[in-house]
Every structure is written in C-alpha cells, then in structure tokens.
Coordinates of all heavy atoms in Angstrom, one line a residue:
L1 N 34.6 7.9 47.2 CA 34.3 7.7 45.8 C 35.5 8.2 44.9 O 36.2 9.1 45.3 CB 33.0 8.3 45.4 CG 31.8 7.8 46.1 CD1 30.6 8.6 45.7 CD2 31.5 6.3 45.8
P2 N 35.7 7.6 43.7 CA 36.7 8.1 42.9 C 36.4 9.5 42.3 O 35.4 9.8 41.7 CB 36.8 7.1 41.7 CG 36.0 5.9 42.2 CD 35.0 6.5 43.2
V3 N 37.3 10.5 42.6 CA 37.1 11.8 42.1 C 37.1 11.9 40.6 O 36.3 12.6 40.0 CB 38.2 12.8 42.6 CG1 38.0 14.2 42.1 CG2 38.2 12.8 44.2
I4 N 37.9 11.0 39.9 CA 37.9 11.0 38.5 C 36.6 10.7 37.9 O 36.2 11.1 36.8 CB 39.0 10.0 38.0 CG1 39.3 10.2 36.5 CG2 38.7 8.6 38.3 CD1 39.9 11.6 36.1
R5 N 35.8 9.8 38.5 CA 34.5 9.5 38.0 C 33.5 10.7 38.0 O 32.6 10.8 37.2 CB 33.9 8.3 38.8 CG 34.7 7.0 38.8 CD 34.6 6.3 37.4 NE 33.2 5.9 37.1 CZ 32.7 4.8 37.6 NH1 33.4 4.0 38.4 NH2 31.5 4.4 37.2
C6 N 33.7 11.6 39.0 CA 32.9 12.8 39.0 C 33.4 13.7 37.9 O 32.7 14.4 37.2 CB 33.1 13.5 40.4 SG 32.4 12.6 41.8
A7 N 34.8 13.8 37.8 CA 35.4 14.7 36.8 C 35.0 14.3 35.4 O 34.7 15.2 34.5 CB 36.9 14.7 36.9
T8 N 34.9 13.1 35.1 CA 34.6 12.7 33.7 C 33.1 12.8 33.4 O 32.7 12.5 32.2 CB 35.1 11.2 33.4 OG1 34.6 10.4 34.4 CG2 36.6 11.2 33.4
A9 N 32.3 13.1 34.3 CA 30.9 13.4 34.1 C 30.8 14.8 33.5 O 29.7 15.2 33.1 CB 30.1 13.3 35.4
T10 N 31.9 15.6 33.4 CA 31.9 16.9 32.9 C 32.7 17.0 31.6 O 33.4 16.0 31.3 CB 32.5 17.9 33.9 OG1 33.9 17.8 33.9 CG2 32.0 17.7 35.3
G11 N 32.6 18.1 30.9 CA 33.5 18.3 29.8 C 34.7 19.1 30.1 O 35.5 19.5 29.3
R12 N 34.9 19.3 31.5 CA 36.1 20.0 31.9 C 36.8 19.3 33.1 O 36.9 19.8 34.2 CB 35.7 21.4 32.4 CG 34.5 21.4 33.4 CD 34.2 22.7 34.0 NE 33.1 23.3 33.4 CZ 32.6 24.5 33.7 NH1 33.2 25.3 34.6 NH2 31.5 25.0 33.1
P13 N 37.2 18.1 32.9 CA 37.8 17.3 34.0 C 39.1 18.0 34.6 O 39.4 17.7 35.8 CB 38.2 15.9 33.4 CG 38.3 16.2 31.9 CD 37.2 17.3 31.7
R14 N 39.7 18.8 33.9 CA 40.9 19.5 34.4 C 40.5 20.5 35.5 O 41.4 20.8 36.4 CB 41.6 20.3 33.3 CG 42.4 19.5 32.3 CD 42.9 20.3 31.1 NE 43.7 21.5 31.6 CZ 45.0 21.4 31.9 NH1 45.6 20.2 31.9 NH2 45.6 22.5 32.3
D15 N 39.2 20.9 35.6 CA 38.8 21.9 36.6 C 38.2 21.2 37.8 O 37.8 21.9 38.8 CB 37.7 22.8 36.0 CG 38.3 23.7 34.9 OD1 39.5 23.9 34.9 OD2 37.4 24.2 34.1
V16 N 38.3 19.9 37.9 CA 37.6 19.1 39.0 C 38.7 18.6 40.0 O 39.7 18.0 39.5 CB 36.8 18.0 38.5 CG1 36.2 17.2 39.6 CG2 35.7 18.5 37.5
V17 N 38.4 18.7 41.3 CA 39.4 18.4 42.3 C 38.6 17.9 43.5 O 37.4 18.2 43.7 CB 40.3 19.6 42.7 CG1 39.5 20.7 43.4 CG2 41.5 19.2 43.5
G18 N 39.3 17.1 44.4 CA 38.6 16.7 45.6 C 39.0 17.6 46.8 O 40.2 18.0 46.9
M19 N 38.1 17.9 47.6 CA 38.3 18.7 48.8 C 37.6 18.0 50.0 O 36.4 18.2 50.2 CB 37.8 20.1 48.7 CG 38.6 21.1 47.9 SD 38.0 22.8 48.0 CE 38.7 23.3 49.6
H20 N 38.3 17.0 50.6 CA 37.7 16.2 51.6 C 37.9 16.9 53.0 O 38.9 16.8 53.6 CB 38.3 14.8 51.6 CG 37.8 13.9 52.7 ND1 38.5 12.9 53.3 CD2 36.5 13.9 53.2 CE1 37.7 12.3 54.2 NE2 36.5 12.9 54.2
F21 N 36.8 17.6 53.4 CA 36.7 18.1 54.7 C 36.4 17.1 55.7 O 35.8 16.0 55.4 CB 35.6 19.2 54.8 CG 36.0 20.5 54.1 CD1 35.9 20.6 52.7 CD2 36.4 21.6 54.9 CE1 36.3 21.8 52.1 CE2 36.7 22.8 54.2 CZ 36.6 22.9 52.9
F22 N 36.7 17.3 57.0 CA 36.4 16.3 58.1 C 35.3 16.9 59.0 O 35.3 18.1 59.1 CB 37.7 16.0 58.8 CG 38.6 15.1 58.1 CD1 39.3 15.5 57.0 CD2 38.7 13.7 58.4 CE1 40.1 14.7 56.2 CE2 39.5 12.9 57.6 CZ 40.2 13.4 56.6
N23 N 34.6 16.1 59.5 CA 33.4 16.5 60.3 C 33.7 16.6 61.8 O 34.3 15.7 62.3 CB 32.3 15.4 60.1 CG 30.9 16.0 60.3 OD1 30.7 17.2 60.3 ND2 30.0 15.1 60.6
P24 N 33.3 17.8 62.4 CA 32.6 18.9 61.9 C 33.5 19.9 61.2 O 34.6 20.2 61.7 CB 31.9 19.6 63.1 CG 32.9 19.2 64.2 CD 33.4 17.8 63.9

C-alpha cells in the first residue's frame, strides 16, 4: 500500500515512514 496514504491520515506526515519487514 502507499505509505503516503497512511501519512496523510495524520497531521504529522513528516513523522511517518515505511518499515517493510520480511516474514518471519
């Protein structure tokens, strides 16, 4: 999913980042 769409759901998009871990 677009990380920016998660970020703009907040009032602090500068503090939002993606951390894609791999399983396990």
Side-chain angles (χ1 to χ4, degrees):
L1 299 174
V3 177
I4 191 65
R5 299 287 296 277
C6 296
T8 53
T10 75
R12 55 172 101 182
R14 286 173 55 80
D15 294 339
V16 179
V17 68
M19 285 186 76
H20 179 211
F21 285 78
F22 286 72
N23 204 19

